[in-house]
Amino acid sequence: MALLARQLYFEAVKVGDELPPLVKPPVDRVQIARYAGAAGDLNPLYVDEQFARNAGFPSALAPGMLAMGFLGELAADWLRGARVRRFGARFVKIVWPGDVLTARGRVTERRFEPSGAYTVDIELWAENQRGELVTRGLCTAQLYYSPEDEARQRAGQPPLLVTAAEEEARLAKLSRAQPARRPEPMPQRTGLPPPARPPFPPPLPPRPGTPPPPPRPGPAAAPARPAAEKPRAAKPAPRPAPKKVARKPAKRPAAKAPKKKPAARKPARKPAGKKKR
Amino acid sequence: MLDRSLVGREGEAWTVEVERGMIRRFAEAVGDPNPLWNDEASARAAGHAGLVAPPTFAAALALDERFRQSLDLGTRLILHSEQQIEYGRPVVAGDRLTIRSKVADVQERAGASGPMDVLLIEDEARDPQGNVVFRSRSTLVLRRG
C-alpha cells in the first residue's frame, strides 16, 4: 500500500536505473488455470495436459501473457501509477508449471517530448530458475517532470516545459556548486552509481558461428520443438527490444546527460487518446 | 498454409463493460497486489474513476474467441509468441468499450517441425465517445496439429 505514497518523477530517473527484481512464487497449475479463466484464454495447451502431451509437449504450459503480467507488475510497481503508454513483450521460451520466474527491468531511454510529455523506456525481462530468458519486454511510460509539473497539470495548467539542454545545464551548475565527490567529471545525478548487476541480457549459450548477427526482430522464437527441446540455434540473438531497432546503444556507462530525443522512434500509430494526464 | 486472403478479415464489433470483479480476478490470477487494481479507494485517490486494470488486462479483454473461431484454424496448435499494446488511457472499471479485431497479417515461416503460419491479430478498443482506449497486436504461431 505504500506503493502509491509518492510519485516517480522524470527528473529523478536516469538511464541505467535498475528496477528491484521481482521474484514470483512458482507458476503452478492452479495459477495457470486461474489465469486462463480470468483472461478468457482457454487454449487447451494451458489447461489440458493430455492435449498438450499428444501435441508433443512434455506437459501443459503456462500462457506467455502470464509472464508478461509479471513484467507489468514489476513495471507498474516501480512507476507508482505513472501512465503506461506502450507495453510489449516477446515470449522467448515456454514457461512450464513449476517454473520460478524473476522479473527484472532497467531504464534504457528518457525522452523530452516537445509537448511537455516526459517518457521513459524500461526494458523488462523474465528469467526462469535455470537463468534462461523466457520473456523480453519493453514498456514506455509517461511521467510528470517534477512535483511542480504535477501540481501545474493537476491544476489544469499546461505542463512544465523543460528541455534536455536546460536540464543538463542545471545539473552542470549543481555539480559545480558542490565539491565533486569523486574524481570523474560527469554530472552524476544522485549519489550512488547503479550497483553492479547481471548484465542484460542474461548470459546465453554461445552462438554458433554467427558473429555480428543482425538479430531478427520477428516473433515466434519460442515455440518450435517442445518435446525434444533441441538446442535449436540457441534462439535469435538477444536483443533488449524485440521491436524497432531504432534504439541506440543506450548501454550503461554514461548514465548521465539524457540524450536528445530520438527522432526516429515514432510508433507507427498512435493511440488517439489525450496526451496529458 | 493459411489462406492469405484472411488478411484484412474483420470481426464484428462488440461491446463489453469492464467490471470490477473482472479486474480483481485478473490481478489475483497474476498475483499482482498493486492497490490500483485491488483497492478502489486507492485507485480513486490516485485520480481514477474506479479500479484500474493492470496493463496486460487490455490484451485479455480484447481476445475475441468467436472471431478466432471464425478464422477456421482447424486443428492447428496456437502459440502466442508476442504481444504489443498501446494505450490511449488506462482501462478502468465501469468502462464500456467497443472492440473490433482484424487479421493484420498472415505469414509462413520455417520451423523446426515444418512450416508454421504466423498470424497477426490487431484489436482496437474505443470508448463511447469514440476515443481509442487501447490497441493490441497479438502474434500467434500456428503449428499444424
Side-chain angles (χ1 to χ4, degrees), chain A residues 1 3-4 24 31 34-35 38-43 45-46 51 55-57 61 64-66 68-70 72-73 76-77 80-81 83-92 94 154 216-221 223-226 230 232 242-243 267-274, chain B residues 22 25-26 28-37 39 42-43 46-48 55-57 59-61 63 65 68 75-90 102 109-113 116 118 122-124 126 131-137 139 141 143:
Chain A
M1 289 284 165
L3 279 175
L4 300 176
K24 294 293 290 182
Q31 183 173 34
R34 200 194 273 247
Y35 183 86
D41 187 359
L42 295 168
N43 188 328
L45 290 174
Y46 306 148
F51 179 92
F57 293 87
L61 45 111
M65 287 301 295
L66 178 58
M68 184 174 177
F70 298 166
E73 175 181 352
D77 255 17
R80 287 184 221 119
R83 169 170 305 181
V84 175
R85 298 243 309 244
R86 269 194 297 283
F87 185 23
R90 193 150 66 96
F91 310 137
V92 178
I94 289 175
R154 288 203 190 276
R216 4 150 332 189
R225 232 278 151 286
K230 279 201 216 158
R232 34 141 19 212
K243 292 286 80 188
R269 296 182 312 174
K270 267 200 136 170
K274 28 173 88 157
Chain B
M22 291 161 70
R25 268 199 302 281
F26 186 87
E28 275 165 20
V30 174
D32 182 345
N34 194 316
L36 283 176
W37 16 101
D39 177 49
S42 297
H48 298 279
T56 50
F57 180 83
L61 189 68
L63 198 161
E65 198 61 48
R68 290 199 184 173
T75 58
R76 293 172 172 87
L77 299 174
I78 302 182
L79 287 149
H80 192 175
S81 74
E82 180 168 345
Q83 181 65 48
Q84 301 289 333
I85 312 165
E86 290 175 24
Y87 307 86
R89 65 166 174 82
K102 71 167 186 214
R109 182 167 304 162
S113 56
M116 305 180 300
V118 180
E122 289 183 355
D123 318 289
E124 186 178 86
R126 292 179 182 266
N131 299 314
V132 175
V133 176
F134 65 83
R135 291 199 177 97
S136 154
R137 292 160 63 90
T139 307
V141 174
R143 253 185 46 199

Side-chain angles (χ1 to χ4, degrees), chain A residues 10 13-17 19 78-79 86 105-111 113 118-124 137-143 241 247 262 265:
Chain A
F10 186 80
V13 174
K14 299 187 305 297
V15 168
D17 281 352
L19 282 57
W78 190 77
L79 287 165
R86 269 194 297 283
R106 170 183 301 153
V107 177
T108 53
E109 182 92 53
R110 61 200 283 284
R111 276 185 298 272
E113 292 178 11
Y118 302 95
T119 57
V120 296
D121 283 351
I122 307 169
E123 69 185 5
L124 297 156
L138 185 71
C139 174
T140 301
Q142 180 175 345
L143 277 60
R247 101 194 348 270
R265 235 177 148 261

Side-chain angles (χ1 to χ4, degrees), chain A:
Chain A
M1 289 284 165
L3 279 175
L4 300 176
R6 63 206 163 87
Q7 283 277 349
L8 176 70
Y9 294 112
F10 186 80
E11 63 176 359
V13 174
K14 299 187 305 297
V15 168
D17 281 352
E18 308 255 351
L19 282 57
L22 170 69
V23 182
K24 294 293 290 182
V27 172
D28 62 22
R29 287 166 192 271
V30 173
Q31 183 173 34
I32 292 172
R34 200 194 273 247
Y35 183 86
D41 187 359
L42 295 168
N43 188 328
L45 290 174
Y46 306 148
V47 292
D48 185 338
E49 180 78 8
Q50 205 50 53
F51 179 92
R53 286 179 188 274
N54 289 344
F57 293 87
S59 80
L61 45 111
M65 287 301 295
L66 178 58
M68 184 174 177
F70 298 166
L71 299 185
E73 175 181 352
L74 174 68
D77 255 17
W78 190 77
L79 287 165
R80 287 184 221 119
R83 169 170 305 181
V84 175
R85 298 243 309 244
R86 269 194 297 283
F87 185 23
R90 193 150 66 96
F91 310 137
V92 178
K93 241 179 178 312
I94 289 175
V95 176
W96 303 104
D99 278 359
V100 179
L101 301 192
T102 302
R104 300 178 186 274
R106 170 183 301 153
V107 177
T108 53
E109 182 92 53
R110 61 200 283 284
R111 276 185 298 272
F112 297 70
E113 292 178 11
S115 54
Y118 302 95
T119 57
V120 296
D121 283 351
I122 307 169
E123 69 185 5
L124 297 156
W125 67 101
E127 304 156 2
N128 63 20
Q129 67 281 9
R130 292 177 291 278
E132 298 164 328
L133 179 73
V134 295
T135 313
R136 179 196 296 288
L138 185 71
C139 174
T140 301
Q142 180 175 345
L143 277 60
Y144 293 116
Y145 185 81
S146 62
E148 183 193 348
D149 183 31
E150 179 179 10
R152 288 171 59 132
Q153 293 197 45
R154 288 203 190 276
Q157 292 165 14
L160 188 69
L161 289 176
V162 180
T163 64
E166 284 164 4
E167 183 184 76
E168 201 167 346
R170 183 171 55 82
L171 291 171
K173 204 151 107 197
L174 247 142
S175 77
R176 275 199 303 278
Q178 281 159 12
R181 298 250 159 84
R182 46 192 76 241
E184 82 232 350
M186 327 185 148
Q188 276 289 353
R189 311 215 25 205
T190 65
L192 306 174
R197 279 250 154 228
F200 179 85
L204 286 166
R207 222 174 286 119
T210 20
R216 4 150 332 189
R225 232 278 151 286
E229 200 75 42
K230 279 201 216 158
R232 34 141 19 212
K235 90 185 33 131
R239 242 303 154 147
K243 292 286 80 188
K244 350 216 134 141
V245 191
R247 101 194 348 270
K248 40 240 69 187
K251 277 308 76 141
R252 6 219 28 204
K256 40 135 193 221
K259 288 175 291 246
K260 310 280 134 52
K261 55 165 181 331
R265 235 177 148 261
K266 281 281 113 131
R269 296 182 312 174
K270 267 200 136 170
K274 28 173 88 157
K275 289 254 186 75
K276 319 267 148 69
R277 346 204 318 149

